Amino acid sequence: MALPRPPPNDHGRRDCDSKKKRKEAEIYQALNSEPIDVAALRRMAISEGGLLMDEIRCKVWPKLLNVNTEDLPPPPGKELREDNKDYQQVLLDVRRSLRRFPPGMPDEQREGLQEELIDSILQVLQRNPQLHYYQGYHDIVVTFLLVVGERLATVLVEKLSTHHLRDFMDPTMDNTKHILNYLMPIIDQVNPELHDFMQRAEVGTIFALSWLITWFGHVLSDFRHVVRLYDFFLACHPLMPIYFAAVIVLYRAEEVLACECDMASVHHLLSQIPQDLPYETLISRAGDLFVQFPPSELAREAAQQQAERTAASTFKDFELASAQQRPDTVLRQRFRERLRAEERAKALLTTKPRTNRFVKLAVMGLTVALGAAALAVVKSALEWAPKFELQIFP
Amino acid sequence: MATEVESSLELSLSTSGTEPGTLPPPRSRIFKIIVIGDSNVGKTCLTFRFCAGRFPTRTEATIGVDFRERAVAIDGERIKIQLWDTAGQERFRKSMVQHYYRNVHAVVFVYDMTNIASFHSLPLWIEECKQHLFTNDIPRILVGNKCDLRSAIQVPTDMAQKFADTHSMPLFETSAKNPDDNDHVEAIFMTLAHKLKSHKPLMLNQPPNHSTVQLEAEPKPTMTCWC
Ligand SMILES: Nc1nc2c(ncn2[C@@H]2O[C@H](COP(=O)(O)OP(=O)(O)OP(=O)(O)O)[C@@H](O)[C@H]2O)c(=O)[nH]1
Ligand SMILES: [Mg+2]
């Protein structure tokens, strides 16, 4: 499944350089247009190479989250660390997060950044008492801290926490579990054999938990890969990380199937993420999958997973969750709308939804070029974005 | 009690897919052990120490459940010891960890001897464990970690021993870090493995300087820290 890589000759490099230059110019053009062309920025963040460099990320990430960089909050006071219920846990986690900092960084500098990291996290939590800290949140915040610096990181993460990460920050992890329930249905759509094997092994989905709630920051050791993924996720639907998780599992299908069919072996294999994944290919595959099997189509199966496992009335839980203001709410509404639409469609033509899917698949087959696939994601991201933006942009 | 444990051990054998009637290939038995306790008590360090033979240079917060394994020979039989290292933060154990209680053969409760709060959390962990396990007969042990930090000890041994007695668990005080304790962490897990293997009282030779510990179903040995 790996992409055949062109031999690294000078010609290829020059080609690549000029492509990069061109993209850089396009990004600045989008940034400088009046009003700022956020849709174009989204597209750039998704397509090959993402936002290219941290200097650009500092400018574009705030736009993707619609954060105003002019009026940043004042630096925190001393009282921040005094009365915070999560302070101890944050401290423990940040102290142990040495691996997240560049290997050559002098201790003193790293320690300074760790203090900033603690402040950043506590500030967001203090201003949003409805948010609850989880182990792994620090892996997300450190990424922002290293790219955009403390003050901007705090505002970006605050926005992110009240939207993309909102479900993870509930008092319990029930909603996180719900999101993990999308994993197996996605795998099932693409590779039923793999799906069945994993079900037989009873591996569960916890191997993907840290992937999901840290946006892979916890498991990837090369920081460049982490920020590339963040470009992608910031530009996409909040459920995209679970599609990316599925794509990684699918990419490793042969390895998984060759493994002993038991929980320990499969969990062990999958939780050791290979560091040399073909990220650009996987990103575009995740985009394809998202378009082919949007969350709304999988919602029912995801809910069923839950029901099978806990025998609880999940649909009630489902309804409860959707009553709250979450990005996911939009999905669930769309799911219900679609259900109704589907019923109507069925009355007219029973095969319609299927046909649709095949048509989509055929189109996907043609869009081998990464750019085209990315475009499709953007289109669906935009289709969803206006509603989401209503929440992001009050 | 012995039969209970035996049958649950058999379970992991039979799930490896041998047909009844045909002779199964000689494969190692698996002992599945779950390690639980508050965040930062040293669960990751202890399991790493046992499986890799050394104190890890650095650990990170465990998110969800990590898995480590080591093959050992006990009385000539090859046995795989699987350690499931769980996240300590409360929110994880509430909804995430329960899947991993499935078919466990033993439970290791860990607290940090230099942190009394981690000791006070033990009743919660024990209660939670009870809810997830179908039987009370699963061997459980209590481990006080970080005994190398002598001047910072907050949990006195007699207090811990009393608690262990009330819950009929053997207590071990140890250090995942101290390089002089080379074999002690090892001895703890091996003791447990022996117990799982034989379900008979057994004599276990402790590393030099330590009294021999007897591990039986009823008596509760004290394993005091020597460092
Ligand atoms: N001095 C000393 N420090 C230890 C010992 N064991 C662990 N530590 C330290 O305690 C801290 C926590 O250890 P971990 O193994 O990560 O703790 P954990 O229980 O896995 O924590 P969570 O994954 O958050 O649940 C680390 O900084 C270790 O270096 C020990 O025996 N002695
Ligand atoms: Mg740990």
Side-chain angles (χ1 to χ4, degrees), chain B residues 112-183:
Chain B
D112 175 351
M113 293 171 68
T114 68
N115 177 358
I116 190 87
S118 73
F119 181 75
H120 289 318
S121 301
L122 288 170
L124 267 177
W125 285 108
I126 291 171
E127 189 46 45
E128 202 135 283
C129 180
K130 265 191 201 140
Q131 284 169 13
H132 293 308
L133 295 175
F134 299 108
T135 157
N136 280 328
D137 302 336
I138 291 200
R140 299 168 310 155
I141 65 170
L142 182 59
V143 174
N145 188 35
K146 307 194 189 181
C147 75
D148 58 296
L149 301 173
R150 259 175 292 177
S151 56
I153 301 290
Q154 290 183 359
V155 185
T157 302
D158 54 346
M159 184 162 115
Q161 185 62 60
K162 226 160 124 193
F163 180 84
D165 287 350
T166 343
H167 291 89
S168 340
M169 290 189 268
L171 167 71
F172 300 86
E173 293 181 331
T174 194
S175 162
K177 185 175 189 181
N178 196 332
D180 304 330
D181 303 356
N182 240 343
D183 304 320

Side-chain angles (χ1 to χ4, degrees), chain A residues 89 92-93 96 99-100 132-136 168 170-171 173 177 202 206 210 218 263-264 267-268, chain B residues 27 32 39-40 58-65 67 82 84 87-89 91-92 95-96 99-100 102:
Chain A
Q89 188 70 57
L92 293 175
D93 294 344
R96 285 181 289 172
R99 217 160 59 90
R100 300 276 86 83
H132 299 262
Y133 176 76
Y134 61 87
Q135 289 188 293
F168 311 145
D170 263 350
M173 300 207 82
K177 218 160 113 185
E202 299 191 326
I206 304 297
S210 74
H218 188 74
M263 176 164 119
H267 178 98
H268 187 58
Chain B
R27 50 165 55 252
K32 180 175 168 185
S39 179
N40 208 55
R58 55 178 74 155
T59 57
E60 288 187 79
T62 305
I63 298 172
V65 180
F67 167 84
Q82 292 185 343
W84 293 83
Q89 199 190 5
R91 57 193 292 108
F92 289 103
S95 53
M96 292 293 169
H99 186 71
Y100 297 87
R102 223 181 271 187

Side-chain angles (χ1 to χ4, degrees), chain B:
Chain B
M1 167 181 176
T3 46
E4 283 278 347
V5 177
E6 189 60 43
S7 63
S8 73
L9 289 180
E10 289 305 323
L11 218 115
S12 50
L13 272 176
S14 56
T15 49
S16 50
T18 42
E19 301 276 315
T22 64
L23 213 62
R27 50 165 55 252
S28 35
R29 274 207 280 180
I30 294 169
F31 293 167
K32 180 175 168 185
I33 301 170
I34 190 168
V35 182
I36 58 186
D38 274 7
S39 179
N40 208 55
V41 298
K43 299 178 295 297
T44 299
C45 290
L46 283 167
T47 54
F48 189 91
R49 174 104 195 208
F50 177 68
C51 294
R54 60 182 174 83
F55 186 70
T57 40
R58 55 178 74 155
T59 57
E60 288 187 79
T62 305
I63 298 172
V65 180
D66 278 341
F67 167 84
R68 288 182 191 87
E69 160 175 87
R70 183 177 148 191
V72 297
I74 299 180
D75 306 332
E77 186 187 344
R78 222 181 100 87
I79 286 174
K80 262 195 211 163
I81 300 184
Q82 292 185 343
L83 300 179
W84 293 83
D85 169 24
T86 62
Q89 199 190 5
E90 182 172 345
R91 57 193 292 108
F92 289 103
R93 72 183 192 229
K94 282 271 153 59
S95 53
M96 292 293 169
V97 174
Q98 87 218 42
H99 186 71
Y100 297 87
Y101 276 98
R102 223 181 271 187
N103 306 332
V104 297
H105 302 128
V107 183
V108 176
F109 296 97
V110 187
Y111 67 94
D112 175 351
M113 293 171 68
T114 68
N115 177 358
I116 190 87
S118 73
F119 181 75
H120 289 318
S121 301
L122 288 170
L124 267 177
W125 285 108
I126 291 171
E127 189 46 45
E128 202 135 283
C129 180
K130 265 191 201 140
Q131 284 169 13
H132 293 308
L133 295 175
F134 299 108
T135 157
N136 280 328
D137 302 336
I138 291 200
R140 299 168 310 155
I141 65 170
L142 182 59
V143 174
N145 188 35
K146 307 194 189 181
C147 75
D148 58 296
L149 301 173
R150 259 175 292 177
S151 56
I153 301 290
Q154 290 183 359
V155 185
T157 302
D158 54 346
M159 184 162 115
Q161 185 62 60
K162 226 160 124 193
F163 180 84
D165 287 350
T166 343
H167 291 89
S168 340
M169 290 189 268
L171 167 71
F172 300 86
E173 293 181 331
T174 194
S175 162
K177 185 175 189 181
N178 196 332
D180 304 330
D181 303 356
N182 240 343
D183 304 320
H184 192 232
V185 172
E186 163 121 0
I188 293 172
F189 286 105
M190 288 305 279
T191 305
L192 198 54
H194 268 102
K195 179 153 177 62
L196 286 172
K197 181 170 185 290
S198 59
H199 323 298
K200 286 183 212 115
L202 67 125
M203 299 291 289
L204 186 80
N205 278 327
Q206 289 304 313
N209 312 340
H210 315 306
S211 55
T212 305
V213 162
Q214 195 165 27
L215 241 194
E216 299 182 39
E218 281 320 300
K220 299 110 198 171
T222 318
M223 188 64 180
T224 41
C225 188
W226 57 88
C227 48

